[in-house]
């Protein structure tokens, strides 16, 4: 019997990395129009990750068609001196 595979959303994975104290968070983002894909909009996904405190450092696009993906690198901003 096949079990439903639950893939974490980018914001869930980013929150876990933040809670661990990681200094960087990377994600290979595959935008998909499928209604099962919670991460269909790269701009919205970046916004959700940045709302956790991460700052987008770089993004590169690779592939074509259904194999197209964004490689996203987020960094934790330095702690303020205040």
């Amino acid at each position: 019997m096949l079990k439903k595979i639950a893939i974490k959303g980018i914001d869930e994975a980013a929150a876990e990395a933040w809670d661990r104290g990681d200094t960087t968070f990377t994600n290979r983002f595959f935008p998909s129009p499928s209604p099962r894909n919670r991460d269909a909009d790269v701009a919205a996904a970046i916004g959700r990750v940045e709302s956790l405190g991460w700052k987008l450092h770089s993004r590169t696009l690779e592939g074509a068609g259904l194999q197209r993906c964004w490689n996203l690198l987020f960094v934790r901003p330095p702690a303020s001196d205040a």
Side-chain angles (χ1 to χ4, degrees):
M1 203 172 203
L2 295 175
K3 293 184 177 182
K4 183 178 178 182
I5 299 173
I7 298 173
K8 292 179 185 175
I10 188 173
D11 46 336
E12 292 173 280
E16 289 178 2
W18 184 269
D19 291 343
R20 279 193 309 265
D22 295 358
T23 57
T24 60
F25 169 69
T26 61
N27 182 271
R28 181 169 276 184
F29 186 89
F30 290 90
S32 167
S34 168
R36 292 178 15 185
N37 184 2
R38 298 180 321 190
D39 290 335
D41 181 346
V42 70
I46 290 169
R48 289 193 315 272
V49 172
E50 287 191 324
S51 74
L52 298 170
W54 294 106
K55 297 298 175 202
L56 182 64
H57 179 70
S58 67
R59 63 185 179 270
T60 57
L61 183 63
E62 66 180 49
L66 295 176
Q67 298 301 315
R68 184 186 70 211
C69 71
W70 289 93
N71 294 309
L72 305 172
L73 172 62
F74 295 88
V75 296
R76 182 185 293 262
S80 69
D81 297 337

